[in-house]
Amino acid sequence: MAEQYFKRSAAALLVGAGVLTLSACGDGYDPDPVDEVVVTNPAPTGLITFAPDGELSADVTWTDYGVPYVKAENLESLGFGVGYAFARDNICILADQIIKFNSQRAMYFGPDQVPGSGDSGNILNDFGYLALGIRDNAEQGFEQISERAQALITGYAAGYNKYLADTGVDNIAPECAGQPWVQPITPIDMMTYAQGVALLPGAANFTGPLFLAVPPSQSAGATNKETGEALDLAPLAELYAEVPDTNPTESGSNGWAIGSDLSASGQGMLIANPHFPHTGNQRFWQFGIEIPGEMKVVGGSLSGMPGIVNIGFNENVAWTHTFSTASRFTIHRLTLDSNDATGTTYMLDGEPVAMTKQQHSIEVATGPGTFMTLQRSSYHSEFGPIIVIPNGLPWGTDPVTGQQVAYALHDANLPNYELFDHWLGMNLADSIESYKQTFVDYTGTVFNNAMAVDKDGNAFFTDGSSVPNIVPEALAAWSQNQLYQGLSQQAGLFIFPGDESLYLPQGTVPFAQAPQLERSDFVQNSNDSYWLTNPAAPITGVSPLWGPVGNQQSFRSRMGQKMLAQGGSVDGKFTREDLVDRLIGNRAWLVEEVLADLVTHCEAQGSTPVMTASGASVDISASCAALAQFDGRMNLNSIGAMLFREFATEFRRNPQWQVAYDPSQPVTTPNTLLANDVVLSQLATAQERIQNAGLAVDATLGEVQFVERSLPNGQPSGQKLPWGGANNIEGGFNVFNSNMGNDGTVLPRHTYPLLPGSVLSEAAGGYHITYGSSWMFAMEFTPEGPVANGLLSYSQASDSSSDHYLDQTLLYSSEPQLRPLHFSNDDVAAVAEEQVTLTGESVR
């Protein structure tokens, strides 16, 4: 891949998101705390941060399925062991991300994200992160973070480097073996990476708008330092004309924290079910950590988390998270100063303020061993950097009002220095009270709803996102401003005035004003907003930036809420076995709601043809027969599951309900299929799509849904593993999908084209699963300690030469199932397959 340069000449080169539902402040926003929270955090006193004399030492035990358990005497050595073990499985992913966030993509891979496409994606990436200043923030902020966080980061970098040095770049995973961009890393590289990850749900999606942001009098985005030739913005303005998708990988999840009232044992229980991409920079990785006498945790983390667990459990507390509906950023509309013809001065509180200008340069590969230097400037206001979205957010004349305007991006995570301390605090928590205290002390979970339960069965929810703190007076005025309500609705983003300092965000919304709920029965979330965390106690009265209230629930949320309402097998209370069943039982809400009525309606039609959306006349009796055999689960052997999914795809576009949605009954409405000609047409359209793709309407799901890995060169392996599981479209809980977009890395992978309006692929012969349930587990606390069953569905290693590249994937493919997770040292020892003591020198 080092030779993945581009033959285009410099001259040729130089020529060539999620919508939030807004709710008004008038719906009861109360800036006072949701609950009075008085908690204390009995922090451990014996936790050693840095390794004495810089001598790092960690014991690593690898168990079945390649899961490492790292034991060390201090945080730096713990990070060292985890960094080494992670690199052994996934070095290519982290090496790629270091290049990405250090603005070196174009230097190694040329100008385009898609080679030869003219999209200039790597150029936009590099200049975008320079404009956001994440490397500068890392360099300036490293000394500001705690010693604990510094120790974890420096240890992790040393462990990564040790693996690279011991193995040699030519002998690492074939996906990046021998590549010049795989280099030793520094703590500042890791800090930069963390700052980039914090922006993934926000500013990271605006590299195009950042690049397009040039003053009205200019037309060039960047110039060649040597020749002075300019990069023409016009083609890029067409490519990046729309509001970016701020959740491009469709990150989602389910989380349940079951309290003492709903637990058969009376102790806490948890379901963790993040839905994340199976490839790329958002893969989870499983591991265990221990500092004897201080902390012992088992769980999984996203790539590059330096030695601490994102989703997991210790002896006292278990926690998980889901992607939240909160807005982590705001857009501010600046009024330009009419006396400045350059358009780089804006009015704030009636006074002109000059934008600041920053110069940036990057190296761009133009061929094997040849480069050019591109230069450009970014412009910044007190609200943040200036952006341009051609179809909506201009820099210059507003086409609606005629005013001279510009738009600035404020991201609450720019910077965020609290990431590591917040997660470490969770890892150390010994009760719900100390877990809650981490949210008082830090805002480091970035973009997540958080659910946790302790061994005593106290369940807790909060949306821990970094939300810009727009003061109540500003929110109240904004909610009554027709211009800004219209702009926000049109863009699908929160757009605020930028001509008054009243609208300058005051840091992040403090925990006392965040959505939160503590219960002894349950708290849950399936990516709908916070408000129905528990339908018996709706949460209201918080800033609209947290997400909507009163909104119709997704089919997946309805499925989770239904299963919770139905309860468990012991007098309505749940056992761990019940939770495993709910997690991988492959139920789907829409199936349970309409299948019986749909079959009855279909059979009544007989062989009389039905018109499809394309105008074809179709006999749907074959579909009726297939649906009559459908067992209602999205299992491997389920006949008719594909047909129902394609019907659900059409139904979602035009729902047919007898009972409409009623905000006063959000968990029971809408309901009951409206048996009419529209429904029959939807079924006929589904049948037509399937048959035109050369597939049988009565195929089992296992015949058409599969996981297929890529070869190191990005070609399909040809090994298609049958895959059970549902989809959001039919209201599944155990969700899998076909995500054919960019996975955040430049590592090659194959994709199949999808049929219009569907995730079905004719070329693939079905559903190519690349996204969904990833690091999932169901656990309970017992008198003997935590007990859990779980799975990392895509396995530990992205290294295709690893023994643990497919092992858990094969296990799930054979029959959707979980495996025992190991917590106690005795259990770990019983399944140990390899043990080493790693030693090294600190990189401080």
Side-chain angles (χ1 to χ4, degrees):
M1 233 169 4
E3 284 68 358
Q4 193 177 8
Y5 294 106
F6 306 95
K7 303 294 185 181
R8 296 186 299 161
S9 68
L13 165 69
L14 292 170
V15 170
V19 176
L20 297 174
T21 303
L22 307 180
S23 59
C25 297
D27 290 342
Y29 170 58
D30 180 359
D32 293 329
V34 174
D35 293 303
E36 285 297 322
V37 181
V38 181
V39 290
T40 59
N41 184 15
T45 57
L47 198 61
I48 301 171
T49 53
F50 292 105
D53 301 320
E55 299 295 326
L56 302 169
S57 178
D59 295 322
V60 186
T61 300
W62 281 271
T63 66
D64 52 346
Y65 299 101
V67 178
Y69 289 76
V70 180
K71 183 182 295 186
E73 297 296 326
N74 54 76
L75 287 172
E76 189 175 22
S77 292
L78 190 73
F80 173 66
V82 173
Y84 183 98
F86 176 84
R88 194 167 92 158
D89 288 333
N90 296 297
I91 191 171
C92 298
I93 291 176
L94 188 53
D96 166 87
Q97 294 300 284
I98 297 296
I99 295 302
K100 174 181 179 178
F101 292 126
N102 273 327
S103 296
Q104 295 175 323
R105 277 270 175 89
M107 182 172 72
Y108 287 104
F109 300 104
D112 294 338
Q113 179 176 298
V114 178
S117 67
D119 64 20
S120 297
N122 291 336
I123 292 174
L124 270 58
N125 173 91
D126 294 353
F127 277 126
Y129 286 112
L130 287 175
L132 294 170
I134 61 172
R135 177 77 188 195
D136 291 341
N137 287 341
E139 292 172 348
Q140 297 166 18
F142 189 75
E143 295 302 322
Q144 299 181 36
I145 64 176
S146 71
E147 280 195 7
R148 289 178 172 184
Q150 291 181 31
L152 287 165
I153 293 170
T154 56
Y156 192 91
Y160 176 102
N161 292 342
K162 178 176 175 59
Y163 172 76
L164 181 59
D166 288 354
T167 309
V169 69
D170 292 333
N171 303 312
I172 61 175
E175 287 73 14
C176 64
Q179 297 305 312
W181 47 271
V182 182
Q183 300 280 344
I185 62 176
T186 68
I188 300 303
D189 287 330
M190 285 301 301
M191 184 79 168
T192 303
Y193 167 75
Q195 295 304 297
V197 170
L199 300 181
L200 287 179
N205 302 289
F206 286 81
T207 54
L210 284 163
F211 191 83
L212 294 175
V214 298
S217 57
Q218 299 180 20
S219 60
T223 58
N224 186 319
K225 179 181 178 182
E226 289 77 22
T227 67
E229 291 181 283
L231 181 64
D232 185 2
L233 283 181
L236 297 181
E238 295 181 11
L239 287 174
Y240 303 100
E242 306 296 333
V243 174
D245 183 353
T246 56
N247 187 13
T249 60
E250 301 179 1
S251 295
S253 302
N254 304 307
W256 289 6
I258 304 296
S260 56
D261 291 352
L262 206 55
S263 164
S265 69
Q267 294 192 273
M269 310 174 75
L270 189 90
I271 281 180
N273 183 214
H275 302 155
F276 270 66
H278 287 195
T279 67
N281 65 338
Q282 294 186 49
R283 278 176 58 108
F284 276 89
W285 180 72
Q286 186 191 346
F287 61 107
I289 55 174
E290 182 177 6
I291 296 179
E294 299 297 329
M295 63 185 295
K296 181 174 175 57
V297 189
V298 166
S301 290
L302 292 178
S303 301
M305 178 57 67
I308 41 184
V309 170
N310 288 143
I311 294 179
F313 51 91
N314 60 30
E315 293 175 307
N316 302 296
V317 182
W319 59 93
T320 188
H321 62 241
T322 63
F323 195 84
S324 97
T325 58
S327 179
R328 272 67 61 170
F329 64 92
T330 50
I331 307 294
H332 295 265
R333 183 175 183 265
L334 310 178
T335 301
L336 298 180
D337 181 5
S338 59
N339 295 317
D340 179 3
T342 69
T344 59
T345 302
Y346 61 99
M347 304 301 295
L348 185 62
D349 296 330
E351 299 294 329
V353 179
M355 296 177 186
T356 58
K357 181 179 179 182
Q358 298 177 6
Q359 295 290 122
H360 312 290
S361 65
I362 62 171
E363 296 298 306
V364 182
T366 55
T370 63
F371 302 86
M372 66 176 174
T373 301
L374 285 184
Q375 298 177 314
R376 69 158 286 130
S377 300
S378 60
Y379 293 82
H380 302 257
S381 72
E382 291 190 43
F383 293 89
I386 307 303
I387 61 171
V388 166
I389 297 174
N391 289 351
L393 305 182
W395 188 352
T397 303
D398 186 312
V400 177
T401 67
Q403 293 176 297
Q404 295 298 302
V405 299
Y407 290 84
L409 172 68
H410 175 89
D411 194 306
N413 288 303
L414 191 63
N416 189 326
Y417 297 141
E418 299 181 350
L419 292 152
F420 306 120
D421 284 307
H422 199 157
W423 292 108
L424 177 59
M426 292 184 194
N427 284 215
L428 293 168
D430 61 4
S431 66
I432 279 298
E433 294 306 305
S434 57
Y435 175 86
K436 285 197 295 187
Q437 185 66 36
T438 68
F439 291 88
V440 176
D441 296 338
Y442 310 110
T443 308
T445 59
V446 182
F447 50 84
N448 292 311
N449 298 297
M451 282 137 286
V453 67
D454 63 19
K455 63 182 180 182
D456 295 325
N458 301 298
F460 176 71
F461 165 90
T462 188
D463 186 335
S465 299
S466 304
V467 172
N469 188 13
I470 306 290
V471 298
E473 309 92 276
L475 284 172
W478 168 82
S479 70
Q480 301 302 314
N481 188 307
Q482 292 186 355
L483 171 63
Y484 285 96
Q485 291 301 299
L487 288 169
S488 298
Q489 292 285 359
Q490 182 177 2
L493 304 170
F494 286 102
I495 299 180
F496 290 93
D499 52 6
E500 295 181 58
S501 56
L502 174 69
Y503 291 95
L504 278 167
Q506 306 299 304
T508 58
V509 178
F511 171 65
Q513 297 174 20
Q516 55 191 265
L517 184 67
E518 185 170 353
R519 300 280 296 185
S520 55
D521 52 358
F522 72 87
V523 295
Q524 64 81 38
N525 185 267
S526 289
N527 305 119
D528 273 308
S529 76
Y530 58 87
W531 79 288
L532 281 184
T533 292
N534 187 309
I539 303 172
T540 59
V542 300
S543 165
L545 272 71
W546 294 104
V549 171
N551 60 303
Q552 183 172 324
Q553 299 292 282
S554 72
F555 291 170
R556 175 157 56 88
S557 288
R558 294 282 299 273
M559 188 72 258
Q561 291 156 348
K562 180 178 179 179
M563 291 191 297
L564 281 162
Q566 289 173 336
S569 62
V570 179
D571 297 325
K573 298 182 179 182
F574 289 102
T575 65
R576 178 167 46 87
E577 292 76 14
D578 291 334
L579 296 190
V580 171
D581 173 75
R582 304 311 185 265
L583 180 54
I584 59 172
N586 290 332
R587 294 172 62 180
W589 181 84
L590 188 63
V591 176
E592 297 181 6
E593 183 66 24
V594 307
L595 177 61
D597 290 341
L598 178 61
V599 170
T600 299
H601 187 41
C602 181
E603 290 177 340
Q605 182 70 14
S607 59
T608 304
V610 174
M611 195 74 70
T612 70
S614 67
S617 183
V618 173
D619 176 355
I620 61 172
S621 56
S623 290
C624 297
L627 289 178
Q629 299 178 73
F630 184 24
D631 62 7
R633 300 287 181 114
M634 307 304 284
N635 288 330
L636 291 170
N637 60 357
S638 295
I639 295 171
M642 171 177 58
L643 176 62
F644 189 90
R645 177 171 298 165
E646 293 308 309
F647 164 75
T649 299
E650 299 306 309
F651 187 87
R652 180 67 64 90
R653 296 190 180 101
N654 186 15
Q656 300 294 301
W657 296 116
Q658 289 189 34
V659 179
Y661 175 64
D662 180 352
S664 69
Q665 301 180 65
V667 298
T668 58
T669 60
N671 64 58
T672 313
L673 182 71
L674 187 61
N676 57 19
D677 290 344
V678 174
V679 168
L680 293 177
S681 177
Q682 291 169 341
L683 182 59
T685 300
Q687 175 179 312
E688 179 184 47
R689 179 182 300 127
I690 290 168
Q691 292 176 333
N692 286 348
L695 302 172
V697 293
D698 61 352
T700 65
L701 188 62
E703 292 175 303
V704 295
Q705 182 165 272
F706 63 90
V707 163
E708 181 186 29
R709 296 289 175 81
S710 301
L711 298 173
N713 64 3
Q715 296 300 306
S717 69
Q719 182 184 14
K720 294 183 176 181
L721 302 177
W723 207 255
N727 188 285
N728 282 317
I729 205 75
E730 66 263 10
F733 195 73
N734 182 32
V735 165
F736 296 97
N737 204 350
S738 301
N739 186 338
M740 298 294 113
N742 176 26
D743 69 0
T745 74
V746 295
L747 300 174
R749 70 182 183 113
H750 76 287
T751 59
Y752 292 106
L754 304 181
L755 295 175
S758 172
V759 292
L760 189 65
S761 171
E762 179 179 358
Y767 303 110
H768 178 208
I769 297 304
T770 63
Y771 164 92
S773 293
S774 50
W775 166 233
M776 49 180 163
F777 65 83
M779 67 81 61
E780 64 175 335
F781 289 103
T782 75
E784 291 73 40
V787 178
N789 298 84
L791 193 78
L792 186 59
S793 64
Y794 39 70
S795 304
Q796 280 285 92
S798 59
D799 173 358
S800 59
S801 67
S802 169
D803 292 339
H804 305 294
Y805 177 64
L806 271 180
D807 49 0
Q808 294 186 71
T809 312
L810 289 165
L811 180 69
Y812 181 93
S813 175
S814 65
E815 176 187 352
Q817 60 188 293
L818 306 182
R819 58 181 181 79
L821 302 184
H822 311 300
F823 184 83
S824 74
N825 289 339
D826 287 344
D827 286 346
V828 170
V831 291
E833 297 182 350
E834 181 183 357
Q835 293 177 293
V836 300
T837 296
L838 301 171
T839 59
E841 299 292 327
S842 173
V843 297
R844 282 189 292 153

